[in-house]
């Protein structure tokens, strides 16, 4: 019984026909499986090389990112330093403006002093002073009435002249001081404004450099994230290829067991047939001898008529009891994987390639294997959710079917499944919006780029 189950499982797994087929067909199938295994091994090697290249790209991008971040830190330090200098210049400008305000008060005082001096000098030839001339004191001297009066007038004139000279000197000093202070503070303020403008320009350039570096870091992060996502996909592809290789090895092993079982059954059947033929020949000879002795008296001879009985046996094909709402198993290479309607077809969707079809239905909806095969993967994926991968070998061609977003999985890795056998329940796990089955059909092994994906609607009547 156990041997018959092994033989049946091997037949289910590779889908190559009846157990009574000629050994050469099975030998050819094993050769096909060996070629598929070698192809998968080559692809695994290529994927591992791609993973290594992607890791190098990620390392390079991370090094560039670290360098850019260090440069950003240096630029930020310079921006902070410039900000401090700008603050210092602002403080100086504020102080200078205060000095200017104080100077305005001084100027106001000086102007008041000048105005008062102007009043004093007004009666003493102010017009001559303002035009740079000398005061005519001769009229004062010649107007004396006596020598004593003259002496007094000379003394008074000398005193007045000295006072005028002091006034004029102070007047000129005040004007000069006023001009120098005005020029000094104006020069200082202009210098500070220029220095501040230069600092602001430097800070603007530094901020521009920081923006450029920030944009570079952002781009590097996006590229790193893209390559990390690619690496994750390649690692998933590597795991799937390893699982498929394991399934193919299992298929080869079971096929060898089936061939050995078939050969033993053939030898046993041949031996039994030979023994049966010998027994029937002996019985026929004995019957012929007996009939020959009795037929001498008869006018006609009676020949030996051998009665042969033939029997044929056929093993009924197992019929799985379908779970409620499970689709009927159809003829052809593949059958419908679940009940429901096609809510999304294969093609461009949301700026991405939708590599399969979505079948939606409500309630508890069984999901079944689209063809005989071996479960190469059964796990939870962040995108696929609960997902089952089944590897098929049909007429020497490897196929892979994917059943994603399941609410639950009912088969494990390495399980042999028959066409129409339940593998899970339709769900809404992973990156999914609403209950449905995401079904993919790949002509060959599954890969990250899904380059082997074909439109299931071209192979299955849904």
């Amino acid at each position: 019984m156990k041997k018959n189950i092994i033989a049946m499982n091997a037949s289910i797994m590779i889908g190559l026909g009846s157990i009574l087929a000629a050994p050469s067909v099975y030998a050819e199938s094993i050769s096909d499986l060996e070629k598929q295994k070698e192809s998968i091994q080559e692809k695994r090697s290529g994927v591992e090389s791609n993973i290594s290249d992607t890791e190098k790209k990620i390392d390079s991008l991370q090094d560039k990112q670290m360098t850019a971040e260090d440069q950003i830190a240096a630029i930020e330090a310079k921006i902070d330093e410039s900000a401090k200098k700008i603050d210092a210049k602002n403080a100086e400008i504020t102080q200078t403006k205060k000095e200017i305000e104080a100077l305005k008060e001084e100027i106001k005082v000086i102007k008041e002093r000048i105005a008062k001096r102007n009043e004093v000098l007004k009666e003493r030839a102010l017009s001559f002073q303002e035009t740079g001339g000398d005061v005519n004191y001769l009229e004062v001297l010649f107007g004396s009435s006596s020598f004593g009066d003259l002496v007094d007038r000379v003394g008074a004139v000398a005193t007045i002249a000295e006072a005028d000279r002091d006034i004029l000197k102070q007047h000129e000093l005040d004007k000069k001081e006023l001009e120098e202070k005005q020029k000094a503070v104006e020069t200082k303020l202009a210098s500070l404004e220029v220095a501040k403008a230069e600092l602001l320009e430097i800070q603007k350039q530094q901020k521009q450099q920081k923006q450029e570096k920030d944009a570079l870091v952002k781009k590097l992060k996006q590229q790193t994230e893209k390559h990390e996502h690619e690496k994750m996909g390649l690692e998933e592809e590597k795991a799937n290829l390893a699982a498929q290789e394991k399934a193919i090895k299992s298929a080869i092993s079971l096929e060898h067991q089936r061939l050995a079982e078939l050969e033993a059954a053939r030898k046993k059947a041949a031996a039994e047939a030979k023994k049966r033929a010998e027994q029937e020949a002996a019985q026929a000879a004995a019957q012929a001898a007996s009939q020959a002795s009795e037929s001498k008296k008869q006018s006609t001879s009676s020949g030996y008529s051998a009665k042969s009985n033939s029997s044929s046996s056929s093993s009924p094909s197992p019929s799985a009891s379908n779970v409620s709402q499970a689709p009927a198993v159809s003829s052809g290479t593949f059958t419908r994987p679940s009940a429901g309607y096609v809510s999304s077809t294969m093609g461009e969707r949301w700026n991405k390639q939708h590599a399969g079809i979505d079948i939606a239905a409500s309630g508890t909806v069984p999901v079944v294997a689209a063809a005989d095969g071996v479960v190469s993967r059964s796990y939870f994926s962040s995108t696929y959710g609960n997902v089952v991968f089944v590897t098929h070998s049909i007429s020497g061609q490897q196929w892979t079917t994917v059943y994603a977003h399941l609410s639950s999985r009912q088969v494990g890795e390495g399980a042999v499944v028959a066409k129409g056998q339940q593998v899970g329940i339709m769900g809404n796990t992973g990156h999914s919006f609403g209950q449905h089955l995401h079904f993919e059909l790949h002509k060959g092994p599954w890969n990250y780029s899904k380059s082997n994906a074909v439109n299931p609607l071209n192979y299955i009547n849904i």
Side-chain angles (χ1 to χ4, degrees):
M1 181 67 179
K2 182 178 179 182
K3 292 180 179 179
N4 290 335
I5 292 173
I6 291 174
M8 183 187 71
N9 285 344
S11 177
I12 290 174
M13 180 166 50
I14 62 173
L16 294 172
S18 169
I19 192 171
L20 298 178
S24 61
V25 175
Y26 291 104
E28 183 180 349
S29 300
I30 290 177
S31 175
D32 291 338
L33 290 171
E34 289 286 358
K35 289 177 181 177
Q36 291 178 20
K37 184 182 74 172
E38 291 174 1
S39 175
I40 290 173
Q41 288 173 339
E42 289 177 2
K43 288 174 181 176
R44 278 187 64 191
S45 177
V47 169
E48 287 173 353
S49 176
N50 290 338
I51 290 173
S52 177
D53 291 342
T54 304
E55 287 175 343
K56 290 177 181 178
K57 290 178 182 177
I58 291 172
D59 291 340
S60 175
L61 288 169
Q62 288 177 340
D63 289 342
K64 290 179 181 178
Q65 184 177 325
M66 289 178 64
T67 301
E69 288 174 347
D70 290 341
Q71 291 173 346
I72 288 173
I75 291 171
E76 287 177 342
K78 291 180 180 179
I79 290 173
D80 291 340
E81 183 180 353
S82 297
K84 289 177 182 177
K85 289 180 179 179
I86 290 169
D87 290 341
K89 291 299 177 186
N90 284 330
E92 287 186 56
I93 289 170
T94 301
Q95 181 61 35
T96 302
K97 286 181 177 179
K98 288 180 179 179
E99 291 175 5
I100 290 173
E101 292 299 323
L103 182 60
K104 286 180 179 179
E105 294 298 322
E106 289 184 33
I107 291 171
K108 184 179 179 181
V109 172
I110 292 172
K111 284 182 176 180
E112 288 177 356
R113 286 205 303 264
I114 291 172
K116 288 179 180 179
R117 291 193 193 104
N118 284 337
E119 288 295 328
V120 172
L121 295 173
K122 190 174 184 180
E123 295 178 356
R124 297 200 297 255
L126 178 59
S127 60
F128 288 97
Q129 172 208 315
E130 290 178 340
T131 58
D134 294 328
V135 178
N136 190 355
Y137 295 106
L138 293 176
E139 293 179 2
V140 177
L141 294 176
F142 288 139
S144 58
S145 58
S146 63
F147 181 75
D149 185 32
L150 176 63
V151 172
D152 291 336
R153 286 180 177 246
V154 169
V157 168
T159 301
I160 293 169
E162 185 65 28
D164 287 345
R165 282 193 295 272
D166 290 341
I167 290 172
L168 290 171
K169 183 178 180 180
Q170 188 61 44
H171 201 57
E172 291 299 326
L173 288 174
D174 286 345
K175 280 186 175 183
K176 185 177 180 181
E177 181 184 3
L178 176 60
E179 290 173 355
E180 288 177 352
K181 284 185 177 182
Q182 281 183 323
K183 184 176 180 180
V185 293
E186 286 172 358
T187 302
K188 182 178 180 181
L189 181 60
S191 175
L192 290 172
E193 293 290 354
V194 169
K196 178 183 175 181
E198 290 175 351
L199 288 171
L200 287 172
E201 182 61 27
I202 291 171
Q203 189 182 56
K204 180 182 177 181
Q205 293 175 0
Q206 291 168 343
K207 288 181 178 180
Q208 180 65 29
Q209 290 175 357
K210 183 178 180 298
Q211 288 178 354
E212 292 173 357
K213 294 297 180 181
D214 286 338
L216 175 61
V217 169
K218 183 179 179 180
K219 182 179 178 181
L220 291 171
K221 285 182 178 179
Q222 289 174 343
Q223 291 177 342
T224 302
E225 184 178 349
K226 176 185 174 183
H227 286 303
E228 285 176 344
H229 186 69
E230 181 181 348
K231 179 186 173 185
M232 288 174 63
L234 290 170
E235 287 175 342
E236 187 170 6
E237 181 179 349
K238 177 183 175 183
N240 277 313
L241 288 171
Q244 290 179 13
E245 183 181 353
K246 183 178 178 182
I248 294 294
K249 287 180 180 178
S250 175
I252 292 172
S253 176
L254 289 175
E255 182 63 8
H256 279 298
Q257 291 180 32
R258 179 167 65 175
L259 286 174
E261 183 69 16
L262 177 61
E263 185 62 22
R266 285 168 182 267
K267 288 181 179 179
K268 182 178 179 181
E272 290 177 351
K274 182 179 180 182
K275 183 178 179 182
R276 195 164 48 249
E278 290 174 350
Q279 290 175 349
E280 289 176 355
Q283 290 176 359
Q287 288 178 359
S290 175
Q291 289 178 357
S293 61
E294 293 179 358
S295 63
K296 291 179 181 179
K297 297 179 180 180
Q298 298 179 359
S299 59
T300 60
S301 65
S302 62
Y304 170 72
S305 174
K307 184 178 182 182
S308 62
N309 295 320
S310 63
S311 63
S312 63
S313 62
S314 62
S315 55
S317 60
S319 62
S321 63
N322 292 333
V323 182
S324 176
Q325 298 184 36
V329 179
S330 64
S331 60
T333 305
F334 298 101
T335 192
R336 183 187 181 107
S338 76
Y341 67 95
V342 177
S343 60
S344 182
T345 57
M346 182 175 177
E348 189 77 15
R349 189 179 73 172
W350 303 331
N351 296 324
K352 291 180 67 178
Q353 180 65 18
H354 188 232
I357 62 172
D358 293 343
I359 303 175
S362 59
T364 302
V365 184
V367 175
V368 302
D372 301 341
V374 178
V375 177
S376 53
R377 294 208 74 187
S378 177
Y379 70 114
F380 185 86
S381 163
S382 59
T383 52
Y384 280 136
N386 281 313
V387 61
V388 173
F389 287 71
V390 179
T391 298
H392 315 271
S393 182
I394 303 171
S395 301
Q397 173 64 52
Q398 181 186 349
W399 296 81
T400 306
T401 50
V402 180
Y403 312 80
H405 306 316
L406 304 174
S407 63
S408 63
R409 294 171 278 119
Q410 297 184 350
V411 290
E413 293 182 5
V416 178
V417 294
K419 182 180 181 181
Q421 179 180 335
Q422 186 170 342
V423 296
I425 301 292
M426 185 184 291
N428 187 30
T429 58
H431 189 64
S432 171
F433 304 97
Q435 177 172 297
H436 70 282
L437 167 68
H438 175 74
F439 177 72
E440 294 178 11
L441 178 62
H442 299 260
K443 193 173 184 179
W446 180 96
N447 56 50
Y448 172 66
S449 62
K450 301 183 181 180
S451 58
N452 292 331
V454 295
N455 192 345
L457 297 179
N458 294 336
Y459 297 84
I460 304 174
N461 184 20
I462 296 180

